[in-house]
Amino acid sequence: QLPNFFLALPMGILSFRCIKKFFNNSPSGNHLPGNFSYSFRILPYVLHLLVLVCVCTFFMHVQVLTRFVSACPPLYWYAAICHTRFPHGEGKVIVGYFLAYATIGSG
């Protein structure tokens, strides 16, 4: 079962980084497409992601974490912002994980 943790760990880390990025930004009027700032329009989606990650981490099997969390839009918004801001660093790693999981993890 150890490989299952390795498949789910990046999605868990990405989810927590997304949630942390959202709540660390102060509320502002600057809601540009590339700015993942605290907004009441995004808040329900981020809270949903937070609840899903907590429930999956403590009460569900690790194989379910990736499937549950992959249904949350903030995860992909955060990945897209990271990819546009850091195309050769963090964004490249995130895209690499998504491609690797699509080829290896879904089989």
Side-chain angles (χ1 to χ4, degrees):
Q1 293 295 333
L2 191 59
N4 289 330
F5 285 104
F6 290 126
L7 285 174
L9 187 64
M11 191 63 87
I13 291 172
L14 188 63
S15 299
F16 278 120
R17 290 192 66 174
C18 171
I19 294 165
K20 181 182 172 203
K21 175 77 172 170
F22 178 78
F23 284 113
N24 280 347
N25 287 341
S26 62
S28 66
N30 188 11
H31 300 296
L32 299 173
N35 189 11
F36 196 68
S37 62
Y38 190 93
S39 168
F40 288 110
R41 286 192 252 168
I42 304 174
L43 182 63
Y45 297 108
V46 176
L47 289 177
H48 179 252
L49 176 63
L50 177 65
V51 169
L52 276 182
V53 169
C54 290
V55 168
C56 288
T57 301
F58 296 113
F59 301 109
M60 291 185 179
H61 196 273
V62 71
Q63 292 175 341
V64 184
L65 177 99
T66 305
R67 293 181 188 141
F68 268 58
V69 172
S70 67
C72 296
L75 188 69
Y76 300 106
W77 296 335
Y78 177 71
I81 289 169
C82 287
H83 184 65
T84 56
R85 289 190 181 169
F86 312 106
H88 300 293
E90 184 179 359
K92 194 172 187 177
V93 172
I94 292 171
V95 170
Y97 169 73
F98 285 160
L99 291 174
Y101 185 79
T103 56
I104 297 169
S106 62

